[in-house]
Amino acid sequence: QVQLVESGGGLVQTGGSLRLSCAVSGRTFSSVAVGWFRQAPGKERDIVTAISGSGDSTFYADSVRGRFTISRDNAKNTVYLQMNSLKPEDTAVYYCAARRNIFKATSSGAYDYWGQGTQVTVSS
């Protein structure tokens, strides 16, 4: 069983930065692709970014490209989401997800395991 634990959420002002972490256990880390999703109140859960098992392929939603960076440290079994130039519209619960495949995916249905979520709030 794969377990994911997110950390790093919080309250930040517009233009600020946060770094989220997702610690993954229970499976060979390099064999899983990881994605970050977010869900704002009353809205669907949307893909933010994803990274392949090797880390050499990434995807970014248009709304975050150039501001957010996903990375992974396979020695630490951890994926990071560096979020810069945050905007109020980035406010959401952020979820880390993993899939039993080395290739990244953008659909939530493609992911097999989910973390509990971490709240990110950007004040204006």
Side-chain angles (χ1 to χ4, degrees), residues 63-105:
S63 58
V64 306
R65 188 174 295 114
R67 299 187 298 123
F68 290 11
T69 303
I70 190 171
S71 62
R72 62 189 297 157
D73 185 337
N74 285 1
K76 295 183 178 180
N77 286 13
T78 301
V79 173
Y80 303 99
L81 177 60
Q82 178 66 45
M83 305 185 295
N84 298 329
S85 302
L86 283 160
K87 305 174 181 180
E89 50 264 45
D90 294 318
T91 296
V93 177
Y94 283 70
Y95 297 91
C96 173
R99 63 190 305 250
R100 295 186 300 262
N101 194 300
I102 61 172
F103 298 107
K104 67 186 185 298

Side-chain angles (χ1 to χ4, degrees), residues 1 3 10 18 23 25 39 45 67 73 93 95 108 123-124:
Q1 183 71 11
Q3 294 185 324
L18 283 174
S25 62
Q39 187 168 22
R45 188 173 298 187
R67 299 187 298 123
D73 185 337
V93 177
Y95 297 91
S108 60
S123 63
S124 57

Side-chain angles (χ1 to χ4, degrees), residues 47-67:
I47 182 74
V48 176
T49 180
I51 189 166
S52 62
S54 63
D56 61 358
S57 179
T58 57
F59 166 85
Y60 293 95
D62 289 343
S63 58
V64 306
R65 188 174 295 114
R67 299 187 298 123

